[in-house]
PDB file of all heavy atoms in Angstrom:
ATOM      1  N   ASP A  31     -38.154  33.200 -49.848  1.00 98.00           N
ATOM      2  CA  ASP A  31     -38.760  33.466 -48.538  1.00 98.00           C
ATOM      3  C   ASP A  31     -39.427  32.182 -48.066  1.00 98.00           C
ATOM      4  O   ASP A  31     -39.993  31.427 -48.866  1.00 98.00           O
ATOM      5  CB  ASP A  31     -39.790  34.601 -48.640  1.00 98.00           C
ATOM      6  CG  ASP A  31     -40.088  35.223 -47.275  1.00 98.00           C
ATOM      7  OD1 ASP A  31     -40.635  34.504 -46.392  1.00 98.00           O
ATOM      8  OD2 ASP A  31     -39.784  36.416 -47.084  1.00 98.00           O
ATOM      9  N   LYS A  36     -46.682  34.517 -48.774  1.00 97.00           N
ATOM     10  CA  LYS A  36     -46.051  35.733 -49.299  1.00 97.00           C
ATOM     11  C   LYS A  36     -45.519  35.504 -50.711  1.00 97.00           C
ATOM     12  O   LYS A  36     -45.733  36.302 -51.621  1.00 97.00           O
ATOM     13  CB  LYS A  36     -44.893  36.114 -48.370  1.00 97.00           C
ATOM     14  CG  LYS A  36     -44.627  37.592 -48.292  1.00 97.00           C
ATOM     15  CD  LYS A  36     -43.580  37.877 -47.219  1.00 97.00           C
ATOM     16  CE  LYS A  36     -43.960  39.092 -46.421  1.00 97.00           C
ATOM     17  NZ  LYS A  36     -42.952  39.503 -45.460  1.00 97.00           N
ATOM     18  N   TYR A  71     -34.504  27.419 -51.483  1.00 98.00           N
ATOM     19  CA  TYR A  71     -33.107  27.859 -51.546  1.00 98.00           C
ATOM     20  C   TYR A  71     -32.376  27.155 -52.691  1.00 98.00           C
ATOM     21  O   TYR A  71     -31.474  27.721 -53.298  1.00 98.00           O
ATOM     22  CB  TYR A  71     -32.398  27.559 -50.215  1.00 98.00           C
ATOM     23  CG  TYR A  71     -32.611  28.590 -49.133  1.00 98.00           C
ATOM     24  CD1 TYR A  71     -33.791  28.632 -48.402  1.00 98.00           C
ATOM     25  CD2 TYR A  71     -31.629  29.520 -48.829  1.00 98.00           C
ATOM     26  CE1 TYR A  71     -33.981  29.572 -47.399  1.00 98.00           C
ATOM     27  CE2 TYR A  71     -31.801  30.464 -47.828  1.00 98.00           C
ATOM     28  CZ  TYR A  71     -32.985  30.495 -47.120  1.00 98.00           C
ATOM     29  OH  TYR A  71     -33.162  31.421 -46.124  1.00 98.00           O
ATOM     30  N   THR A  87     -34.790  40.574 -37.732  1.00 97.00           N
ATOM     31  CA  THR A  87     -33.975  40.419 -36.510  1.00 97.00           C
ATOM     32  C   THR A  87     -34.751  41.077 -35.372  1.00 97.00           C
ATOM     33  O   THR A  87     -34.397  42.170 -34.921  1.00 97.00           O
ATOM     34  CB  THR A  87     -32.591  41.082 -36.672  1.00 97.00           C
ATOM     35  OG1 THR A  87     -32.757  42.409 -37.212  1.00 97.00           O
ATOM     36  CG2 THR A  87     -31.694  40.300 -37.581  1.00 97.00           C
ATOM     37  N   GLU A 155     -39.220  52.989 -44.441  1.00 90.00           N
ATOM     38  CA  GLU A 155     -40.494  52.588 -45.005  1.00 90.00           C
ATOM     39  C   GLU A 155     -41.237  53.847 -45.432  1.00 90.00           C
ATOM     40  O   GLU A 155     -41.163  54.868 -44.769  1.00 90.00           O
ATOM     41  CB  GLU A 155     -41.312  51.812 -43.977  1.00 90.00           C
ATOM     42  CG  GLU A 155     -40.719  50.453 -43.709  1.00 90.00           C
ATOM     43  CD  GLU A 155     -41.382  49.728 -42.547  1.00 90.00           C
ATOM     44  OE1 GLU A 155     -42.523  50.060 -42.204  1.00 90.00           O
ATOM     45  OE2 GLU A 155     -40.728  48.834 -41.987  1.00 90.00           O
ATOM     46  N   LYS A 264     -36.367  48.394 -31.238  1.00 96.00           N
ATOM     47  CA  LYS A 264     -35.599  47.154 -31.038  1.00 96.00           C
ATOM     48  C   LYS A 264     -34.093  47.394 -31.195  1.00 96.00           C
ATOM     49  O   LYS A 264     -33.290  46.769 -30.510  1.00 96.00           O
ATOM     50  CB  LYS A 264     -36.083  46.058 -31.990  1.00 96.00           C
ATOM     51  CG  LYS A 264     -35.577  46.182 -33.410  1.00 96.00           C
ATOM     52  CD  LYS A 264     -35.884  44.948 -34.241  1.00 96.00           C
ATOM     53  CE  LYS A 264     -35.523  45.129 -35.704  1.00 96.00           C
ATOM     54  NZ  LYS A 264     -34.106  45.255 -36.004  1.00 96.00           N
TER      55      LYS A 264
HETATM   56  P1  NAD B   1     -39.786  41.763 -42.557  1.00 67.73           P
HETATM   57  O1  NAD B   1     -40.274  41.091 -41.348  1.00 67.73           O
HETATM   58  O2  NAD B   1     -40.684  42.705 -43.323  1.00 67.73           O
HETATM   59  O3  NAD B   1     -39.278  40.686 -43.593  1.00 67.73           O
HETATM   60  C1  NAD B   1     -38.470  39.615 -43.264  1.00 67.73           C
HETATM   61  C2  NAD B   1     -38.797  38.467 -44.201  1.00 67.73           C
HETATM   62  O4  NAD B   1     -37.857  37.424 -43.993  1.00 67.73           O
HETATM   63  C3  NAD B   1     -40.181  37.848 -43.987  1.00 67.73           C
HETATM   64  O5  NAD B   1     -40.893  37.840 -45.213  1.00 67.73           O
HETATM   65  C4  NAD B   1     -39.875  36.426 -43.504  1.00 67.73           C
HETATM   66  O6  NAD B   1     -40.838  35.480 -43.932  1.00 67.73           O
HETATM   67  C5  NAD B   1     -38.532  36.186 -44.140  1.00 67.73           C
HETATM   68  N1  NAD B   1     -37.733  35.133 -43.496  1.00 67.73           N
HETATM   69  C6  NAD B   1     -37.548  34.902 -42.173  1.00 67.73           C
HETATM   70  N2  NAD B   1     -36.707  33.870 -42.007  1.00 67.73           N
HETATM   71  C7  NAD B   1     -36.342  33.456 -43.225  1.00 67.73           C
HETATM   72  C8  NAD B   1     -35.470  32.439 -43.708  1.00 67.73           C
HETATM   73  N3  NAD B   1     -34.805  31.645 -42.866  1.00 67.73           N
HETATM   74  N4  NAD B   1     -35.337  32.305 -45.037  1.00 67.73           N
HETATM   75  C9  NAD B   1     -36.000  33.099 -45.918  1.00 67.73           C
HETATM   76  N5  NAD B   1     -36.832  34.082 -45.508  1.00 67.73           N
HETATM   77  C10 NAD B   1     -36.993  34.244 -44.193  1.00 67.73           C
HETATM   78  O7  NAD B   1     -38.455  42.526 -42.117  1.00 67.73           O
HETATM   79  P2  NAD B   1     -37.846  43.891 -42.699  1.00 67.73           P
HETATM   80  O8  NAD B   1     -38.579  45.058 -42.157  1.00 67.73           O
HETATM   81  O9  NAD B   1     -37.639  43.759 -44.161  1.00 67.73           O
HETATM   82  O10 NAD B   1     -36.422  43.872 -41.971  1.00 67.73           O
HETATM   83  C11 NAD B   1     -35.398  42.983 -42.331  1.00 67.73           C
HETATM   84  C12 NAD B   1     -34.110  43.423 -41.665  1.00 67.73           C
HETATM   85  O11 NAD B   1     -33.742  44.724 -42.157  1.00 67.73           O
HETATM   86  C13 NAD B   1     -34.209  43.562 -40.146  1.00 67.73           C
HETATM   87  O12 NAD B   1     -32.988  43.207 -39.584  1.00 67.73           O
HETATM   88  C14 NAD B   1     -34.454  45.054 -39.954  1.00 67.73           C
HETATM   89  O13 NAD B   1     -34.012  45.490 -38.702  1.00 67.73           O
HETATM   90  C15 NAD B   1     -33.628  45.647 -41.063  1.00 67.73           C
HETATM   91  N6  NAD B   1     -34.085  46.951 -41.550  1.00 67.73           N
HETATM   92  C16 NAD B   1     -35.404  47.226 -41.671  1.00 67.73           C
HETATM   93  C17 NAD B   1     -35.806  48.465 -42.164  1.00 67.73           C
HETATM   94  C18 NAD B   1     -37.258  48.803 -42.282  1.00 67.73           C
HETATM   95  O14 NAD B   1     -37.583  49.983 -42.438  1.00 67.73           O
HETATM   96  N7  NAD B   1     -38.178  47.846 -42.251  1.00 67.73           N
HETATM   97  C19 NAD B   1     -34.860  49.413 -42.539  1.00 67.73           C
HETATM   98  C20 NAD B   1     -33.514  49.082 -42.434  1.00 67.73           C
HETATM   99  C21 NAD B   1     -33.129  47.841 -41.937  1.00 67.73           C
END
Side-chain angles (χ1 to χ4, degrees):
D31 199 296
K36 211 173 222 185
Y71 277 78
T87 48
E155 290 172 22
K264 78 170 173 67

